[in-house]
Amino acid sequence: MAGVTTPTVRPGIAERLSQMIRIPTVSAELDERGSAPFEEFVALIAELYPLTHEKLALERHTDFGLLFHWQGTGAAPDRPVVLMAHYDVVPVDESDAWTHPPFAGVIADGSVYGRGALDDKGPLIVVLEAVENLLADGFVPPRDVYLSFGGNEETYGRAAEEIARVLRGRGIVPWLVLDEGGAVVDAPLPFVPGRAAMIGVGEKGVMTLRLTARGDGGHASAPPPLTAVRRVARAVDRLGPTAFRPRASKAILRMLSQLAAQTPGPARHLLRLLGSAPLLTAQVFAALGGEPAALVRTTVAPTMQSGGTAANVLPSQASATVNLRIALGETTQQTVFRVRRRIRDPLVEVEVIEASEPSPESPTDNAPFALLAGALDAAFPGVPAVPYVMMAATDSRHFHRFSPAVYRFAPLDMSNAQRASIHGVDESVEIASLERGERFHRALLERLR
């Protein structure tokens, strides 16, 4: 394309990511570790990316939010591009058997290993690499660009929320917001061959509930028919996989129609049919279970339980914590109402600990999505851009209430095993994938208009 320079990557991207991984920015362990690792990380990127820090204005919002402003040459500074990532990571279970220590940042077999390699220091570094390289070439974007990096995304922190609030208060409505989310994957559905870039055009809502029951305490030798523990256990059991009805959002139907174009044989006709039949699609995906089912319904995951002081004592109180991911088209209010109806027990208290509404769906027939597809073609030739629904929460949810084009995509190759390693064991990213990720962001910025 005319005006687009040949992509280059500075040597040492793997070493720089390794340095980032070695800093344990575990936001869930802030009380134990303190804020020193986070400040060390901020100092590290200043050292690794001097041009970015020299040419872009940096603001700190809360203790963990970094907002870089790259002023463009255009006449619409209130319609910028916002590139997002987060630099905090989730904890490591010390009993897990990692091939390489999770905070050693080991480089081996063409990959960088460690907590945060994919979530989300890998996606963060490819943004910084692209910006630093473009600055070295003397490039100035035609549109303002913001880099929004949060340090407490994994704990639903306020850094990104505050950055979004500040920009909105300044009358800035981003033309494009891009955060972590989908990736370049093989066989996006069991019967769909080839690779696809799964771009999240919406994300499910998040809700955490605490279910609490009280009962008469006493000696365990003469228990009543329904103890506090049994009452809570029964409530949790009633919130099974079918607690919420399946429904296929527009994003899922668009995904199926897009995938049909690259699928040969009878499966193509099936995908086309599903793409035009939301009720059938909802039932089929629900029956498949796993990720397909999670795409079409609100999911319920019991995550913690407590109650009791001794093995032979009936507890007077028991509780369970339940995490829900709310399907697009539903609301937090509807979700709580359905939970109470499913439990059918007025003696179980349902307390909302936190809640965030599902996002609206961003369009795919607009200039921002076309820009993503063009950058994708530059970095991953022949890989189609496919819309889908993000099941996990991202910092970008704070932008979708006032920005019409919010997308969730990390420009990295991820195998099924790599995706499973996120928040798990042996998280790693290929060095070649990092180089393609830099190329993606470089092309995106160069193609801005």
Side-chain angles (χ1 to χ4, degrees):
M1 179 176 178
V4 178
T5 58
T6 302
T8 59
V9 180
R10 294 183 302 150
I13 187 173
E15 287 74 15
R16 286 186 287 278
L17 179 57
S18 173
Q19 287 180 262
M20 292 181 177
I21 290 172
R22 289 200 293 268
I23 302 176
T25 49
V26 185
S27 51
E29 297 175 352
L30 186 62
D31 291 342
E32 299 94 322
R33 297 178 183 269
S35 61
F38 297 86
E39 293 303 322
E40 184 182 353
F41 186 90
V42 173
L44 174 65
I45 62 172
E47 174 188 335
L48 296 180
Y49 301 95
L51 289 177
T52 300
H53 284 74
E54 176 188 343
K55 303 292 185 181
L56 277 60
L58 172 61
E59 298 176 8
R60 299 285 298 266
H61 294 283
T62 73
D63 292 335
F64 302 101
L66 309 177
L67 182 65
F68 293 88
H69 179 204
W70 192 0
Q71 188 169 344
T73 60
D78 58 336
R79 298 286 286 158
V81 168
V82 179
L83 303 178
M84 302 183 67
H86 64 88
Y87 58 96
D88 64 317
V89 299
V90 296
V92 171
D93 187 335
E94 298 298 334
S95 66
D96 288 338
W98 286 65
T99 302
H100 304 286
F103 292 109
V106 170
I107 302 171
D109 305 319
S111 297
V112 184
Y113 291 81
R115 176 63 82 223
L118 293 173
D119 185 20
D120 189 42
K121 291 177 179 178
L124 183 149
I125 198 173
V126 295
V127 172
L128 285 172
E129 291 284 324
V131 171
E132 190 79 3
N133 290 337
L134 287 169
L135 288 170
D137 291 342
F139 175 82
V140 180
R143 190 183 290 268
D144 280 21
V145 175
Y146 286 91
L147 312 181
S148 174
F149 300 149
N152 49 19
E153 189 270 352
E154 298 291 3
T155 53
Y156 306 104
R158 296 184 56 84
E161 182 180 7
E162 178 64 12
I163 288 173
R165 188 194 67 80
V166 167
L167 292 181
R168 188 176 189 179
R170 294 173 182 172
I172 295 172
V173 180
W175 181 77
L176 165 67
V177 176
L178 182 62
D179 197 7
E180 64 171 332
V184 176
V185 302
D186 290 318
L189 288 176
F191 45 85
V192 176
R195 297 200 298 165
M198 307 304 294
I199 299 179
V201 297
E203 70 178 58
K204 299 175 76 172
V206 180
M207 177 178 287
T208 300
L209 301 177
R210 182 182 294 122
L211 312 180
T212 304
R214 300 182 185 276
D216 294 329
H219 201 285
S221 60
L226 199 59
T227 64
V229 170
R230 282 186 174 178
R231 191 177 292 275
V232 165
R234 185 179 68 177
V236 170
D237 186 60
R238 287 174 175 172
L239 297 176
T242 61
F244 289 84
R245 298 185 183 93
R247 56 188 300 166
S249 65
K250 291 181 181 178
I252 299 303
L253 301 179
R254 283 184 284 172
M255 177 189 76
L256 293 168
S257 298
Q258 178 75 32
L259 291 175
Q262 69 181 77
T263 304
R268 170 179 294 184
H269 304 295
L270 173 61
L271 288 171
R272 285 178 176 169
L273 171 63
L274 293 175
S276 61
L279 294 178
L280 176 62
T281 297
Q283 294 299 325
V284 170
F285 274 52
L288 289 172
E291 285 192 10
L295 286 172
V296 297
R297 67 162 26 124
T298 294
T299 57
V300 185
T303 54
M304 295 187 291
Q305 57 186 358
S306 64
T309 57
N312 61 346
V313 176
L314 296 176
S316 59
Q317 176 178 304
S319 66
T321 299
V322 180
N323 185 262
L324 299 95
R325 302 302 167 113
I326 305 171
L328 272 64
E330 299 179 2
T331 68
T332 54
Q333 185 177 12
Q334 292 170 337
T335 300
V336 173
F337 179 73
R338 186 160 184 84
V339 164
R340 290 196 169 107
R341 283 190 59 189
R342 293 286 299 192
I343 290 175
R344 303 191 310 276
D345 189 342
L347 297 182
V348 173
E349 177 187 357
V350 179
E351 178 187 1
V352 179
I353 305 302
E354 61 186 357
S356 177
E357 300 287 349
S359 79
E361 294 183 33
S362 296
T364 58
D365 58 353
N366 58 355
F369 193 85
L371 176 66
L372 296 178
L376 182 68
D377 190 57
F380 301 87
V383 176
V386 178
Y388 91 117
V389 174
M390 181 75 179
M391 290 175 282
T394 70
D395 274 341
S396 67
R397 71 188 187 278
H398 302 300
F399 284 83
H400 67 63
R401 309 208 185 283
F402 68 101
S403 178
V406 180
Y407 303 97
R408 300 149 185 90
F409 173 67
L412 300 174
D413 301 274
M414 293 190 197
S415 66
N416 288 337
Q418 285 174 309
R419 290 164 59 204
S421 74
I422 296 175
H423 290 203
V425 177
D426 281 349
E427 189 176 349
S428 68
V429 62
E430 296 174 359
I431 299 171
S433 182
L434 293 172
E435 293 171 349
R436 285 189 288 272
E438 185 274 347
R439 198 172 303 137
F440 171 89
H441 281 294
R442 186 179 179 77
L444 184 148
L445 293 168
E446 287 178 323
R447 293 166 186 237
L448 275 177
R449 296 292 180 263

